Amino acid sequence: MFSYLGVVIRMKYEIIIGLEIHAELSTKSKIFCSCTTEFGGEANTHCCPICLGMPGTLPVLNRKVVEYAVKAGLAMNCKIEEFSKLDRKNYFYPDLPKAYQISQYNLPICRDGYVDIDTGSGRKRIGITRIHIEEDAGKLIHDDESMSSFIDYNRCGVPLIEIVTEPDLRSSEEAKAFLESIKAILQYTGVSDCKMQEGSLRADVNLSIRPVGQKEFGVRTEMKNLNSFRSVVRAIEWEAQRQIEVIESGGSVIQETRRWDDNTGMSYSMRSKEEANDYRYFPEPDLVPVIIDGKWIEEIKKSLPELPDVRKKRYMSDYGLPEYDAWILTRSKALSDFFETAVSKSKNVKAVSNWIMGDLLRILKEKEMEVEDIPFPAEYLARLVDLIDNGTISSTIGKAVFQKMFATGKEPEVIVKEEGMEVISDETELNHIVRKIIMNNPQSVADYKNGKQKAFGFLVGQAMKETKGKGNPKIINKLLKDLLG
Ligand code: ADP
Ligand code: MG
Ligand code: ZN
């Protein structure tokens, strides 16, 4: 697959990708009833006759759902339709008790938008075809042991927006960058928490290939419900290769829905692609059309927060951060807010940024924690930076203090006091230590006297070690120089 020949063949083709992204909205209640949208909970406890679709019940549209859809649309540069409606999409599946989903067919709330992404080769504009609202379905839980399947309807009626892109994406990297941007926008606007591990953000990948230079698109396949960036990337790489091999061996790609299996790392044919008319869409008779007046749209527009891209540019111009750092810091709203709070209490922006980009992100990754789980307020980071800048502790010790802050949530000053971590600048004490090091390392002393600068560094290191990293390096340097002549 990754042979030289494979690479050459791969380069003959261009990959075309369009995404359909489902995001669960952060409303308190469901789209057509007052049941909670809270994740989890004992199976079938967040349900009522309406979200279970009992005969005779009537849905009532949650106004907040429309507001959030408009918010997402505006943040993604869409036109907002003042008139839209809901439609019934009919299909049978055990997780859908009504045997239809209330969605939007030909008149979605938002259309014709775009989102700019940063790629290896610069900025690129990805078209948003439409954003519509719909209800989520329940969840099937298959139990191998008892050979049974269980149904949890708690998720039935949780509001979703579906974001459909133009077939503008050309690689798995672009798809990933795009999803990251969408996630950031939805989190900044508060429209969705985008917790992928809870299924709040999932993507369907539509993919086709065509020989480089050909105008017409090839036949596409669709892989449904990918719920991590990693699986989106893997699924794209694998499916593109599969299609190339089909074409190269003289076959043709069949339009179909495929299931991506993260365990085997392969996609499998599920069913031939359904057409819109298979669903027998028709206007939902139990709901009136949605009228959104211009004044409301203006109000929502005014309520939009600073968006990730704008924030990134501000970090570059106001704080002089490199583009990459500004990008990392603004990808997650929680991280960005943490940074902003810390910076507002500190004079050393660059140091705060470095701590976050380095130690903080590393520890979060190691401990598999989210920014929200950081056990101390952002202000403590500013104070830690201050302790280093004013010479109370060395930067090496700072790292240990930081670890302790993560473990205990304690204030940096308290940790420094409790552990006796202050820098030792007392000359008499340091003199003592330096003499001992000189005595114990005659070879290095001789080396240094013979002009080996490295030996000096070694001796400083030994002295620092003796002070458990607390010695003032400037003073140790000076003492060593004096004593060695
Ligand atoms: P459906 O509603 O039947 O899934 P759409 O025409 O609305 O189909 O397209 C769904 C997604 O597929 C969109 O994101 C679109 O950009 C993408 N798409 C359409 N044609 C192609 C193609 N030939 N190759 C890759 N993606 C495509
Ligand atoms: Mg589709
Ligand atoms: Zn309900």
Side-chain angles (χ1 to χ4, degrees), residues 145-378:
E145 216 169 291
S146 63
M147 300 269 287
S148 0
S149 291
F150 298 90
I151 302 177
D152 179 2
Y153 287 132
N154 282 354
R155 201 174 66 180
C156 263
V158 167
L160 297 172
I161 49 172
E162 178 173 336
I163 304 161
V164 182
T165 78
E166 291 292 299
D168 287 346
L169 298 155
R170 293 290 175 270
S171 66
S172 57
E173 298 84 58
E174 287 187 13
K176 181 163 179 253
F178 179 77
L179 281 169
E180 278 171 349
S181 292
I182 294 293
K183 183 178 171 183
I185 290 171
L186 294 176
Q187 286 182 336
Y188 273 64
T189 49
V191 164
S192 172
D193 62 17
C194 297
K195 287 191 180 149
M196 297 191 84
Q197 67 283 10
E198 294 182 3
S200 290
L201 189 71
R202 348 190 257 270
D204 302 345
V205 174
N206 296 272
L207 187 150
S208 64
I209 55 160
R210 67 178 171 195
V212 173
Q214 179 182 304
K215 272 234 155 59
E216 304 78 44
F217 287 141
V219 174
R220 74 181 142 121
T221 62
E222 178 172 6
M223 291 176 287
K224 286 205 177 283
N225 274 327
L226 297 159
N227 61 2
S228 74
F229 292 161
R230 187 168 164 269
S231 48
V232 168
V233 169
R234 290 177 73 207
I236 288 173
E237 292 300 327
W238 195 86
E239 177 61 12
Q241 187 62 28
R242 187 192 69 85
Q243 291 188 12
I244 290 172
E245 280 167 17
V246 167
I247 304 270
E248 282 288 317
S249 60
S252 43
V253 175
I254 305 164
Q255 179 156 343
E256 62 185 354
T257 302
R258 299 179 69 87
R259 181 176 62 87
W260 169 255
D261 186 330
D262 227 13
N263 295 319
T264 60
M266 292 194 259
S267 73
Y268 302 91
S269 178
M270 256 167 76
R271 54 174 188 259
S272 66
K273 170 96 181 105
E274 61 286 344
E275 299 288 335
N277 57 15
D278 292 334
Y279 291 118
R280 295 292 183 269
Y281 276 104
F282 65 84
E284 170 57 54
D286 289 340
L287 288 163
V288 293
V290 182
I291 313 287
I292 306 169
D293 70 52
K295 233 177 77 201
W296 195 28
I297 297 175
E298 274 314 305
E299 264 170 46
I300 298 172
K301 199 179 257 171
K302 280 201 202 103
S303 78
L304 280 179
E306 182 183 41
L307 292 170
D309 238 24
V310 178
R311 208 176 245 201
K312 186 190 94 180
K313 290 199 187 101
R314 180 163 64 80
Y315 285 9
M316 290 164 69
S317 61
D318 288 11
Y319 300 140
L321 293 180
E323 178 162 21
Y324 178 74
D325 297 27
W327 185 79
I328 293 282
L329 289 172
T330 51
R331 279 306 84 185
S332 136
K333 172 153 197 304
L335 188 67
S336 180
D337 288 346
F338 188 92
F339 170 74
E340 300 246 319
T341 312
V343 160
S344 73
K345 312 267 181 202
S346 173
K347 287 175 277 314
N348 193 343
V349 177
K350 187 67 198 162
V352 168
S353 156
N354 284 344
W355 275 101
I356 294 179
M357 298 282 296
D359 293 67
L360 184 89
L361 287 178
R362 185 177 43 74
I363 294 176
L364 288 181
K365 199 166 174 201
E366 273 168 20
K367 304 199 173 191
E368 290 180 11
M369 283 164 67
E370 301 290 329
V371 176
E372 289 84 353
D373 306 328
I374 298 173
F376 54 85

Side-chain angles (χ1 to χ4, degrees), residues 24 36-47 139 152-155 158 198:
E24 282 184 359
T36 177
T37 56
E38 206 179 302
F39 178 77
E42 204 181 317
N44 301 307
T45 55
H46 299 169
C47 311
K139 236 187 250 175
D152 179 2
Y153 287 132
N154 282 354
R155 201 174 66 180
V158 167
E198 294 182 3

Side-chain angles (χ1 to χ4, degrees), residues 30 32-36 46-53 153-154 156-157:
K30 292 187 179 178
F32 301 124
C33 63
S34 55
C35 290
T36 177
H46 299 169
C47 311
C48 74
I50 295 172
C51 51
L52 291 175
Y153 287 132
N154 282 354
C156 263

